[in-house]
Amino acid sequence: TGTSTTREASPSRAVKAMIEALAKGDEVVTAGGLLGKVSKLGETYVSIEAGGNELMVQRTAIVQVLPKGTIK
Protein backbone atom coordinates (compact mmCIF):
# COMPACT_ATOMS: atom_id res chain seq x y z
CA THR A 1 0.00 0.00 0.00
CA GLY A 2 1.10 3.56 -0.68
CA THR A 3 1.39 6.36 1.77
CA SER A 4 -0.85 9.36 1.61
CA THR A 5 -0.54 12.76 3.12
CA THR A 6 -3.50 14.02 5.08
CA ARG A 7 -4.16 17.68 4.57
CA GLU A 8 -6.09 19.45 7.28
CA ALA A 9 -9.20 21.18 5.99
CA SER A 10 -8.78 24.90 6.44
CA PRO A 11 -10.21 27.95 4.73
CA SER A 12 -8.29 29.20 1.73
CA ARG A 13 -6.49 32.53 1.85
CA ALA A 14 -9.24 34.07 -0.29
CA VAL A 15 -11.96 32.95 2.14
CA LYS A 16 -9.98 34.21 5.13
CA ALA A 17 -9.45 37.57 3.42
CA MET A 18 -13.17 37.83 2.58
CA ILE A 19 -14.17 37.10 6.20
CA GLU A 20 -11.63 39.60 7.57
CA ALA A 21 -12.81 42.29 5.12
CA LEU A 22 -16.50 42.05 6.11
CA ALA A 23 -18.05 45.45 6.73
CA LYS A 24 -21.36 46.77 8.01
CA GLY A 25 -23.87 46.87 5.15
CA ASP A 26 -22.29 44.01 3.20
CA GLU A 27 -24.82 41.62 1.70
CA VAL A 28 -23.82 38.04 2.46
CA VAL A 29 -24.79 34.38 2.16
CA THR A 30 -24.23 31.95 5.03
CA ALA A 31 -23.31 28.27 4.80
CA GLY A 32 -26.97 27.48 5.56
CA GLY A 33 -28.15 29.53 2.58
CA LEU A 34 -29.39 32.55 4.56
CA LEU A 35 -29.13 35.91 2.78
CA GLY A 36 -28.83 39.08 4.82
CA LYS A 37 -27.07 42.38 5.44
CA VAL A 38 -24.30 42.69 8.01
CA SER A 39 -25.51 44.96 10.81
CA LYS A 40 -22.85 44.43 13.50
CA LEU A 41 -19.37 42.94 13.51
CA GLY A 42 -17.69 41.16 16.37
CA GLU A 43 -14.44 39.27 16.71
CA THR A 44 -16.10 35.87 16.31
CA TYR A 45 -19.71 36.65 15.40
CA VAL A 46 -21.52 38.77 12.83
CA SER A 47 -25.08 40.08 13.20
CA ILE A 48 -27.13 39.81 10.02
CA GLU A 49 -30.46 41.46 9.26
CA ALA A 50 -32.64 39.02 7.33
CA GLY A 51 -36.39 39.13 6.83
CA GLY A 52 -36.86 41.83 9.46
CA ASN A 53 -34.93 39.83 12.07
CA GLU A 54 -31.41 40.19 13.41
CA LEU A 55 -29.46 36.95 13.66
CA MET A 56 -25.99 36.21 14.99
CA VAL A 57 -23.79 33.82 13.02
CA GLN A 58 -20.17 32.84 13.27
CA ARG A 59 -17.89 34.74 10.89
CA THR A 60 -16.79 31.40 9.45
CA ALA A 61 -20.43 30.70 8.41
CA ILE A 62 -20.20 33.49 5.81
CA VAL A 63 -19.49 31.83 2.47
CA GLN A 64 -20.06 34.66 -0.02
CA VAL A 65 -20.30 38.44 -0.16
CA LEU A 66 -22.89 39.51 -2.73
CA PRO A 67 -22.80 42.60 -4.95
CA LYS A 68 -24.48 45.62 -3.30
CA GLY A 69 -28.17 45.80 -4.19
CA THR A 70 -28.66 42.04 -4.52
CA ILE A 71 -31.01 41.91 -1.54
CA LYS A 72 -34.06 44.11 -1.98
Side-chain angles (χ1 to χ4, degrees):
T1 62
T3 59
S4 65
T5 56
T6 305
R7 189 170 158 179
E8 188 176 327
S10 64
S12 69
R13 284 187 209 150
V15 172
K16 282 183 182 179
M18 177 198 64
I19 290 171
E20 288 172 6
L22 284 174
K24 189 175 177 177
D26 281 352
E27 298 177 4
V28 297
V29 180
T30 68
L34 179 75
L35 276 71
K37 282 189 182 181
V38 175
S39 58
K40 295 178 191 166
L41 292 161
E43 188 108 356
T44 308
Y45 297 97
V46 175
S47 291
I48 298 175
E49 290 178 11
N53 298 301
E54 188 172 57
L55 307 163
M56 284 182 70
V57 298
Q58 291 180 314
R59 276 184 175 256
T60 55
I62 306 295
V63 295
Q64 185 178 8
V65 176
L66 301 170
K68 298 267 188 216
T70 301
I71 301 172
K72 302 290 182 212

PDB file of all heavy atoms in Angstrom, residues 1 6-7 13 15 18 20 22-23 25 29-30 42 47-48 52 54 56 58 61 64 67 69 71-72:
ATOM      1  N   THR A   1       0.838  -1.198   0.000  1.00  0.00           N
ATOM      2  CA  THR A   1       0.000   0.000   0.000  1.00  0.00           C
ATOM      3  C   THR A   1       0.868   1.241   0.000  1.00  0.00           C
ATOM      4  O   THR A   1       1.950   1.256   0.564  1.00  0.00           O
ATOM      5  CB  THR A   1      -0.934   0.036   1.215  1.00  0.00           C
ATOM      6  OG1 THR A   1      -0.149   0.081   2.376  1.00  0.00           O
ATOM      7  CG2 THR A   1      -1.883  -1.145   1.242  1.00  0.00           C
ATOM      8  N   THR A   6      -2.200  13.497   4.673  1.00  0.00           N
ATOM      9  CA  THR A   6      -3.496  14.020   5.079  1.00  0.00           C
ATOM     10  C   THR A   6      -3.360  15.528   5.229  1.00  0.00           C
ATOM     11  O   THR A   6      -2.510  16.002   5.963  1.00  0.00           O
ATOM     12  CB  THR A   6      -3.942  13.402   6.427  1.00  0.00           C
ATOM     13  OG1 THR A   6      -3.909  11.992   6.295  1.00  0.00           O
ATOM     14  CG2 THR A   6      -5.328  13.870   6.794  1.00  0.00           C
ATOM     15  N   ARG A   7      -4.206  16.225   4.514  1.00  0.00           N
ATOM     16  CA  ARG A   7      -4.163  17.682   4.565  1.00  0.00           C
ATOM     17  C   ARG A   7      -5.338  18.164   5.401  1.00  0.00           C
ATOM     18  O   ARG A   7      -6.480  17.800   5.151  1.00  0.00           O
ATOM     19  CB  ARG A   7      -4.263  18.231   3.145  1.00  0.00           C
ATOM     20  CG  ARG A   7      -4.007  19.684   3.071  1.00  0.00           C
ATOM     21  CD  ARG A   7      -3.887  20.099   1.637  1.00  0.00           C
ATOM     22  NE  ARG A   7      -4.171  21.513   1.582  1.00  0.00           N
ATOM     23  CZ  ARG A   7      -4.143  22.228   0.507  1.00  0.00           C
ATOM     24  NH1 ARG A   7      -3.839  21.667  -0.634  1.00  0.00           N
ATOM     25  NH2 ARG A   7      -4.414  23.496   0.535  1.00  0.00           N
ATOM     26  N   ARG A  13      -6.873  31.142   1.581  1.00  0.00           N
ATOM     27  CA  ARG A  13      -6.489  32.534   1.847  1.00  0.00           C
ATOM     28  C   ARG A  13      -7.566  33.497   1.389  1.00  0.00           C
ATOM     29  O   ARG A  13      -7.839  34.488   2.044  1.00  0.00           O
ATOM     30  CB  ARG A  13      -5.180  32.865   1.137  1.00  0.00           C
ATOM     31  CG  ARG A  13      -3.989  32.288   1.831  1.00  0.00           C
ATOM     32  CD  ARG A  13      -2.709  32.789   1.194  1.00  0.00           C
ATOM     33  NE  ARG A  13      -1.692  31.766   1.383  1.00  0.00           N
ATOM     34  CZ  ARG A  13      -0.700  31.541   0.575  1.00  0.00           C
ATOM     35  NH1 ARG A  13      -0.559  32.273  -0.509  1.00  0.00           N
ATOM     36  NH2 ARG A  13       0.169  30.597   0.814  1.00  0.00           N
ATOM     37  N   VAL A  15     -10.820  32.988   1.214  1.00  0.00           N
ATOM     38  CA  VAL A  15     -11.956  32.949   2.137  1.00  0.00           C
ATOM     39  C   VAL A  15     -11.614  33.700   3.412  1.00  0.00           C
ATOM     40  O   VAL A  15     -12.424  34.486   3.913  1.00  0.00           O
ATOM     41  CB  VAL A  15     -12.369  31.489   2.446  1.00  0.00           C
ATOM     42  CG1 VAL A  15     -13.407  31.438   3.546  1.00  0.00           C
ATOM     43  CG2 VAL A  15     -12.879  30.807   1.198  1.00  0.00           C
ATOM     44  N   MET A  18     -11.784  37.378   2.720  1.00  0.00           N
ATOM     45  CA  MET A  18     -13.169  37.828   2.584  1.00  0.00           C
ATOM     46  C   MET A  18     -13.800  38.007   3.974  1.00  0.00           C
ATOM     47  O   MET A  18     -14.453  39.020   4.235  1.00  0.00           O
ATOM     48  CB  MET A  18     -13.985  36.820   1.783  1.00  0.00           C
ATOM     49  CG  MET A  18     -15.447  37.172   1.656  1.00  0.00           C
ATOM     50  SD  MET A  18     -16.503  35.785   1.168  1.00  0.00           S
ATOM     51  CE  MET A  18     -16.310  34.675   2.559  1.00  0.00           C
ATOM     52  N   GLU A  20     -12.271  38.502   6.853  1.00  0.00           N
ATOM     53  CA  GLU A  20     -11.625  39.603   7.574  1.00  0.00           C
ATOM     54  C   GLU A  20     -12.063  40.959   7.039  1.00  0.00           C
ATOM     55  O   GLU A  20     -12.086  41.938   7.766  1.00  0.00           O
ATOM     56  CB  GLU A  20     -10.102  39.468   7.496  1.00  0.00           C
ATOM     57  CG  GLU A  20      -9.571  38.325   8.338  1.00  0.00           C
ATOM     58  CD  GLU A  20      -8.090  38.064   8.124  1.00  0.00           C
ATOM     59  OE1 GLU A  20      -7.433  38.844   7.411  1.00  0.00           O
ATOM     60  OE2 GLU A  20      -7.599  37.071   8.673  1.00  0.00           O
ATOM     61  N   LEU A  22     -15.066  41.777   5.956  1.00  0.00           N
ATOM     62  CA  LEU A  22     -16.497  42.050   6.113  1.00  0.00           C
ATOM     63  C   LEU A  22     -16.717  43.424   6.723  1.00  0.00           C
ATOM     64  O   LEU A  22     -15.984  43.833   7.626  1.00  0.00           O
ATOM     65  CB  LEU A  22     -17.154  41.005   7.015  1.00  0.00           C
ATOM     66  CG  LEU A  22     -17.419  39.642   6.410  1.00  0.00           C
ATOM     67  CD1 LEU A  22     -17.941  38.690   7.487  1.00  0.00           C
ATOM     68  CD2 LEU A  22     -18.394  39.729   5.266  1.00  0.00           C
ATOM     69  N   ALA A  23     -17.736  44.116   6.225  1.00  0.00           N
ATOM     70  CA  ALA A  23     -18.045  45.449   6.727  1.00  0.00           C
ATOM     71  C   ALA A  23     -19.552  45.582   6.912  1.00  0.00           C
ATOM     72  O   ALA A  23     -20.340  44.873   6.265  1.00  0.00           O
ATOM     73  CB  ALA A  23     -17.552  46.508   5.746  1.00  0.00           C
ATOM     74  N   GLY A  25     -23.166  46.574   6.401  1.00  0.00           N
ATOM     75  CA  GLY A  25     -23.865  46.868   5.154  1.00  0.00           C
ATOM     76  C   GLY A  25     -23.594  45.872   4.041  1.00  0.00           C
ATOM     77  O   GLY A  25     -24.303  45.856   3.042  1.00  0.00           O
ATOM     78  N   VAL A  29     -24.126  35.679   2.121  1.00  0.00           N
ATOM     79  CA  VAL A  29     -24.795  34.380   2.155  1.00  0.00           C
ATOM     80  C   VAL A  29     -24.065  33.537   3.194  1.00  0.00           C
ATOM     81  O   VAL A  29     -22.835  33.501   3.221  1.00  0.00           O
ATOM     82  CB  VAL A  29     -24.727  33.665   0.781  1.00  0.00           C
ATOM     83  CG1 VAL A  29     -25.423  32.313   0.841  1.00  0.00           C
ATOM     84  CG2 VAL A  29     -25.324  34.526  -0.309  1.00  0.00           C
ATOM     85  N   THR A  30     -24.845  32.833   4.039  1.00  0.00           N
ATOM     86  CA  THR A  30     -24.230  31.947   5.030  1.00  0.00           C
ATOM     87  C   THR A  30     -24.163  30.523   4.484  1.00  0.00           C
ATOM     88  O   THR A  30     -24.791  30.202   3.475  1.00  0.00           O
ATOM     89  CB  THR A  30     -25.044  31.922   6.339  1.00  0.00           C
ATOM     90  OG1 THR A  30     -26.295  31.276   6.095  1.00  0.00           O
ATOM     91  CG2 THR A  30     -25.248  33.313   6.904  1.00  0.00           C
ATOM     92  N   GLY A  42     -18.437  41.485  15.174  1.00  0.00           N
ATOM     93  CA  GLY A  42     -17.686  41.163  16.373  1.00  0.00           C
ATOM     94  C   GLY A  42     -16.456  40.369  15.980  1.00  0.00           C
ATOM     95  O   GLY A  42     -16.254  40.068  14.807  1.00  0.00           O
ATOM     96  N   SER A  47     -23.627  39.967  13.173  1.00  0.00           N
ATOM     97  CA  SER A  47     -25.082  40.079  13.199  1.00  0.00           C
ATOM     98  C   SER A  47     -25.554  40.389  11.794  1.00  0.00           C
ATOM     99  O   SER A  47     -25.004  41.249  11.115  1.00  0.00           O
ATOM    100  CB  SER A  47     -25.529  41.181  14.154  1.00  0.00           C
ATOM    101  OG  SER A  47     -25.265  40.811  15.484  1.00  0.00           O
ATOM    102  N   ILE A  48     -26.588  39.663  11.366  1.00  0.00           N
ATOM    103  CA  ILE A  48     -27.130  39.806  10.021  1.00  0.00           C
ATOM    104  C   ILE A  48     -28.615  40.132  10.117  1.00  0.00           C
ATOM    105  O   ILE A  48     -29.340  39.476  10.867  1.00  0.00           O
ATOM    106  CB  ILE A  48     -26.943  38.497   9.219  1.00  0.00           C
ATOM    107  CG1 ILE A  48     -25.469  38.180   9.064  1.00  0.00           C
ATOM    108  CG2 ILE A  48     -27.621  38.581   7.865  1.00  0.00           C
ATOM    109  CD1 ILE A  48     -25.206  36.857   8.400  1.00  0.00           C
ATOM    110  N   GLY A  52     -36.380  41.038   8.335  1.00  0.00           N
ATOM    111  CA  GLY A  52     -36.865  41.830   9.461  1.00  0.00           C
ATOM    112  C   GLY A  52     -36.361  41.351  10.814  1.00  0.00           C
ATOM    113  O   GLY A  52     -36.745  41.880  11.849  1.00  0.00           O
ATOM    114  N   GLU A  54     -32.860  40.109  13.284  1.00  0.00           N
ATOM    115  CA  GLU A  54     -31.413  40.195  13.407  1.00  0.00           C
ATOM    116  C   GLU A  54     -30.910  38.877  13.989  1.00  0.00           C
ATOM    117  O   GLU A  54     -31.375  38.440  15.033  1.00  0.00           O
ATOM    118  CB  GLU A  54     -31.010  41.362  14.308  1.00  0.00           C
ATOM    119  CG  GLU A  54     -29.515  41.600  14.311  1.00  0.00           C
ATOM    120  CD  GLU A  54     -29.130  42.867  15.050  1.00  0.00           C
ATOM    121  OE1 GLU A  54     -29.474  42.980  16.240  1.00  0.00           O
ATOM    122  OE2 GLU A  54     -28.480  43.720  14.440  1.00  0.00           O
ATOM    123  N   MET A  56     -27.436  36.277  14.803  1.00  0.00           N
ATOM    124  CA  MET A  56     -25.988  36.212  14.987  1.00  0.00           C
ATOM    125  C   MET A  56     -25.473  34.910  14.396  1.00  0.00           C
ATOM    126  O   MET A  56     -26.030  33.845  14.665  1.00  0.00           O
ATOM    127  CB  MET A  56     -25.623  36.283  16.468  1.00  0.00           C
ATOM    128  CG  MET A  56     -25.742  37.660  17.051  1.00  0.00           C
ATOM    129  SD  MET A  56     -25.258  37.704  18.790  1.00  0.00           S
ATOM    130  CE  MET A  56     -23.507  37.443  18.641  1.00  0.00           C
ATOM    131  N   GLN A  58     -21.624  32.819  13.184  1.00  0.00           N
ATOM    132  CA  GLN A  58     -20.168  32.841  13.269  1.00  0.00           C
ATOM    133  C   GLN A  58     -19.618  33.428  11.977  1.00  0.00           C
ATOM    134  O   GLN A  58     -20.167  33.199  10.896  1.00  0.00           O
ATOM    135  CB  GLN A  58     -19.611  31.434  13.452  1.00  0.00           C
ATOM    136  CG  GLN A  58     -19.925  30.835  14.791  1.00  0.00           C
ATOM    137  CD  GLN A  58     -19.354  29.441  14.905  1.00  0.00           C
ATOM    138  OE1 GLN A  58     -19.484  28.631  13.997  1.00  0.00           O
ATOM    139  NE2 GLN A  58     -18.720  29.168  16.030  1.00  0.00           N
ATOM    140  N   ALA A  61     -19.227  31.174   9.112  1.00  0.00           N
ATOM    141  CA  ALA A  61     -20.427  30.703   8.410  1.00  0.00           C
ATOM    142  C   ALA A  61     -20.703  31.528   7.158  1.00  0.00           C
ATOM    143  O   ALA A  61     -21.509  31.132   6.323  1.00  0.00           O
ATOM    144  CB  ALA A  61     -21.640  30.751   9.336  1.00  0.00           C
ATOM    145  N   GLN A  64     -20.125  33.802   1.171  1.00  0.00           N
ATOM    146  CA  GLN A  64     -20.061  34.659  -0.015  1.00  0.00           C
ATOM    147  C   GLN A  64     -20.520  36.075   0.330  1.00  0.00           C
ATOM    148  O   GLN A  64     -21.443  36.246   1.109  1.00  0.00           O
ATOM    149  CB  GLN A  64     -20.967  34.078  -1.109  1.00  0.00           C
ATOM    150  CG  GLN A  64     -20.898  34.795  -2.425  1.00  0.00           C
ATOM    151  CD  GLN A  64     -21.791  34.126  -3.468  1.00  0.00           C
ATOM    152  OE1 GLN A  64     -22.559  33.232  -3.179  1.00  0.00           O
ATOM    153  NE2 GLN A  64     -21.689  34.586  -4.693  1.00  0.00           N
ATOM    154  N   PRO A  67     -22.885  41.221  -4.475  1.00  0.00           N
ATOM    155  CA  PRO A  67     -22.797  42.599  -4.947  1.00  0.00           C
ATOM    156  C   PRO A  67     -23.865  43.452  -4.258  1.00  0.00           C
ATOM    157  O   PRO A  67     -24.975  42.973  -4.005  1.00  0.00           O
ATOM    158  CB  PRO A  67     -23.089  42.491  -6.442  1.00  0.00           C
ATOM    159  CG  PRO A  67     -22.855  41.061  -6.795  1.00  0.00           C
ATOM    160  CD  PRO A  67     -23.148  40.278  -5.554  1.00  0.00           C
ATOM    161  N   GLY A  69     -26.904  45.704  -3.477  1.00  0.00           N
ATOM    162  CA  GLY A  69     -28.171  45.803  -4.187  1.00  0.00           C
ATOM    163  C   GLY A  69     -28.786  44.469  -4.569  1.00  0.00           C
ATOM    164  O   GLY A  69     -29.869  44.429  -5.135  1.00  0.00           O
ATOM    165  N   ILE A  71     -29.864  42.126  -2.429  1.00  0.00           N
ATOM    166  CA  ILE A  71     -31.006  41.907  -1.540  1.00  0.00           C
ATOM    167  C   ILE A  71     -31.879  43.154  -1.569  1.00  0.00           C
ATOM    168  O   ILE A  71     -31.396  44.253  -1.309  1.00  0.00           O
ATOM    169  CB  ILE A  71     -30.535  41.618  -0.097  1.00  0.00           C
ATOM    170  CG1 ILE A  71     -29.645  40.374  -0.084  1.00  0.00           C
ATOM    171  CG2 ILE A  71     -31.733  41.446   0.828  1.00  0.00           C
ATOM    172  CD1 ILE A  71     -28.978  40.123   1.237  1.00  0.00           C
ATOM    173  N   LYS A  72     -33.134  42.971  -1.894  1.00  0.00           N
ATOM    174  CA  LYS A  72     -34.056  44.112  -1.983  1.00  0.00           C
ATOM    175  C   LYS A  72     -34.750  44.323  -0.663  1.00  0.00           C
ATOM    176  O   LYS A  72     -35.135  43.438   0.015  1.00  0.00           O
ATOM    177  CB  LYS A  72     -35.118  43.865  -3.073  1.00  0.00           C
ATOM    178  CG  LYS A  72     -34.510  43.634  -4.433  1.00  0.00           C
ATOM    179  CD  LYS A  72     -33.909  44.892  -4.988  1.00  0.00           C
ATOM    180  CE  LYS A  72     -33.360  44.644  -6.373  1.00  0.00           C
ATOM    181  NZ  LYS A  72     -32.237  45.380  -6.752  1.00  0.00           N
TER     182      LYS A  72
END
